[in-house]
Amino acid sequence: MSAQSVHPAQILLGAQAGANRLPVCDHYSGVESRMRKSLQLQAELTAEYGHCVFDVTLDCEDGAPVGLEREHAVLVAALARDAAPEARVAARVHAVDHPAFAHDVATIAGEAGHRLCHLMLPKVESVDDVLQAERALQAAGAGHLPLHVLIESPAAVQRAFEIAAHPRVQSLSFGLMDFVSAHGGAIPAAGMSAKGQFEHPLVVRAKLEIAAACHAHGKVPSHCVVTEFHDPQAMQAAAQRAAQEFGFTRMWSIHPGQIRPILAAFAPQTAEIELASRILSAAAGADWAPISADGVLHDRASYRYFWQILERAHQTGRALPDAARGWFADTRPLSH
């Protein structure tokens, strides 16, 4: 088999091909009407872009009314089970030490595990929590499901590398609000704002640790929420900083109006896309041997970078040059 006949993701990324191929936006909703609207919006944007550009995570932890956790889990399972075939639907269950956790997993993963793309586990403190969730998934007959983990405390940040190393974990998210409150007032409220969360040293350190842990183990770092959802400029500025300065490749949305700004912020610029397409087309023509482009030497290290540019362009719905479009004509499903 010649190098030209092998898909760039496979020849350049090898065993990690697809490791970061998650949508750049993860949209959360927990109230029934909003969960239904989120799934409808996902279907509309899938039709617009030609593929799914954001995940919908149905929320039990913040969405379930107190005392009605079981009923809410049944609702989430039904919504996930009945979602469109091309939908990417996940669920956030309660933390492993919450009384509703076992029922959440047994109901949602047990009844709709075949439709879920992952399960989000909040308030993870150590690998022991991951192992407990893994056992619960296996008992529910959903041992295939990846876990996304929410890091929300100083102790969990300290263990981020160990947690990210677990093979079941696909992504780490940062829980800003709980992280700040866990400091007992040592971090001011401004540390939770769209701007302040990028300036307070303890918050900045936590974000960098999480991003570094994910990149060290081939996992996806997912940035926290921006609560100022009526301020699209603040939203997009925060998303741009998360992507360009902090190394995050995915971000939470808590309002439909945040989805498109996240897609725009995480998308490569047109000039980057065109350069990546030109270099990779020349590389494929050279059977992936080193080439010179505009007087600059390129080899598989830079090819890998430019391929990731094209993948991110596709994930965010950007138009691809003709030379690159064929690589995505028969796109494999985003990794589950």
Side-chain angles (χ1 to χ4, degrees):
M1 181 181 293
S2 71
Q4 284 180 287
S5 65
V6 180
H7 196 279
Q10 195 61 49
I11 201 166
L12 298 176
L13 303 181
Q16 287 192 329
N20 293 315
R21 296 181 67 252
L22 292 174
V24 301
C25 181
D26 189 9
H27 181 65
Y28 278 71
S29 54
V31 177
E32 181 175 1
S33 61
R34 293 174 186 168
M35 292 191 286
R36 293 186 183 277
K37 287 179 180 178
S38 297
L39 290 168
Q40 178 60 38
L41 179 59
Q42 185 188 62
E44 292 170 2
L45 291 190
T46 296
E48 176 181 339
Y49 288 108
H51 61 278
C52 189
V53 292
F54 71 94
D55 285 349
V56 170
T57 297
L58 308 176
D59 195 2
C60 289
E61 187 188 31
D62 288 342
V66 175
L68 296 176
E69 290 87 356
R70 286 176 173 264
E71 291 83 353
H72 195 78
V74 171
L75 171 63
V76 166
L79 290 174
R81 190 175 58 245
D82 297 339
E86 67 276 11
R88 283 184 54 87
V89 188
R92 175 164 69 161
V93 297
H94 286 85
V96 295
D97 60 355
H98 192 282
F101 168 75
H103 182 265
D104 280 355
V105 177
T107 302
I108 298 169
E111 296 180 10
H114 62 292
R115 290 296 296 116
L116 296 176
C117 53
H118 63 266
L119 202 73
M120 166 57 76
L121 188 64
K123 294 180 173 56
V124 169
E125 290 294 313
S126 70
V127 172
D128 288 342
D129 293 341
V130 175
L131 295 173
Q132 184 174 341
E134 185 176 41
R135 289 191 294 270
L137 284 175
Q138 291 170 341
H144 65 285
L145 273 182
L147 283 170
H148 289 202
V149 166
L150 190 52
I151 303 294
E152 304 182 69
S153 73
V157 170
Q158 183 182 7
R159 303 180 184 113
F161 280 80
E162 183 182 359
I163 294 168
H166 191 281
R168 180 59 62 88
V169 173
Q170 187 180 51
S171 174
L172 298 187
S173 292
F174 178 48
L176 172 67
M177 318 300 278
D178 282 275
F179 179 81
V180 170
S181 63
H183 284 75
I187 301 175
M192 295 185 284
S193 68
K195 182 179 179 182
Q197 65 174 279
F198 292 97
E199 296 177 350
H200 194 281
L202 286 174
V203 180
V204 168
R205 173 182 171 270
K207 290 185 181 187
L208 294 176
E209 286 292 303
I210 291 168
C214 285
H215 291 300
H217 294 287
K219 309 301 172 68
V220 177
S222 188
H223 194 267
C224 57
V225 300
V226 169
T227 55
E228 296 94 327
F229 54 82
H230 288 305
D231 188 344
Q233 291 183 331
M235 176 68 227
Q236 187 142 352
Q240 287 173 337
R241 295 199 69 181
Q244 297 171 13
E245 299 176 31
F246 285 74
F248 285 83
T249 58
R250 181 169 160 98
M251 187 167 181
W252 285 37
S253 160
I254 55 171
H255 187 277
Q258 295 182 328
I259 294 171
R260 289 186 188 271
I262 290 174
L263 293 177
F266 280 80
Q269 298 299 308
T270 300
E272 290 181 288
I273 298 169
E274 292 174 349
L275 177 62
S277 176
R278 183 160 55 85
I279 288 174
L280 290 176
S281 296
D287 285 342
W288 306 101
I291 63 167
S292 175
D294 300 326
V296 178
L297 176 67
H298 292 281
D299 59 17
R300 291 200 187 188
S302 57
Y303 298 161
R304 187 175 302 114
Y305 169 82
F306 288 117
W307 172 249
Q308 289 162 345
I309 291 290
L310 292 184
E311 282 206 317
R312 189 152 43 89
H314 178 68
Q315 291 166 354
T316 52
R318 297 298 303 273
L320 294 171
D322 290 341
R325 199 170 295 135
W327 288 322
F328 297 92
D330 186 24
T331 304
R332 300 152 292 153
L334 290 165
S335 53
H336 280 195

